Amino acid sequence: MDTAESVICEAEVTCGLPTAAQVTSLEEARAAIDRVDAALAVLLERRAELAGAVQRLKPVGGFAGRDRRREHQIVEAMARRAPSLGAERLARIMNAVIEAGLEVAEESREAR
């Protein structure tokens, strides 16, 4: 994905979501958080699905096949987009996301 496409996609994700400076009441702030949480849920579900595809395609899947180098690259790329969160916080978040995705992939594999 080129930079222009990336910017467009990012704008679509945040389209219609107010910034913190734009909310003027507790109710507005909570409603905006609810919308962000709904979008996060959909994105996390999609990520878990894609992570399952990765597990299926890797020669060694599951927790044994974790690619720490790739995980570091993911965190660094995210930190560039979310500098206030920083790499350390994002690493903790992404570790939980990655482990949840691995668990879902494992459960899916066992169900087959």
Side-chain angles (χ1 to χ4, degrees), residues 61-77:
F63 285 87
R66 282 183 79 165
D67 183 345
R68 300 295 181 167
R69 191 176 126 263
R70 170 75 176 135
E71 292 176 21
H72 179 74
Q73 291 171 339
I74 291 167
V75 167
E76 290 302 313

Side-chain angles (χ1 to χ4, degrees), residues 1-10 81:
M1 182 179 319
D2 68 17
T3 304
E5 187 179 2
S6 176
V7 169
I8 291 167
C9 289
E10 190 171 311
R81 289 179 172 237

Side-chain angles (χ1 to χ4, degrees), residues 16-75:
L17 294 174
T19 63
Q22 292 171 318
V23 296
T24 58
S25 71
L26 181 60
E27 293 76 20
E28 284 180 1
R30 286 184 172 163
I33 287 171
D34 290 346
R35 290 176 58 204
V36 169
D37 289 347
L40 275 172
V42 170
L43 291 170
L44 288 169
E45 179 74 10
R46 177 66 57 88
R47 192 189 195 290
E49 291 170 0
L50 292 167
V54 167
Q55 293 306 304
R56 187 179 73 249
L57 297 168
K58 284 170 70 172
V60 177
F63 285 87
R66 282 183 79 165
D67 183 345
R68 300 295 181 167
R69 191 176 126 263
R70 170 75 176 135
E71 292 176 21
H72 179 74
Q73 291 171 339
I74 291 167
V75 167

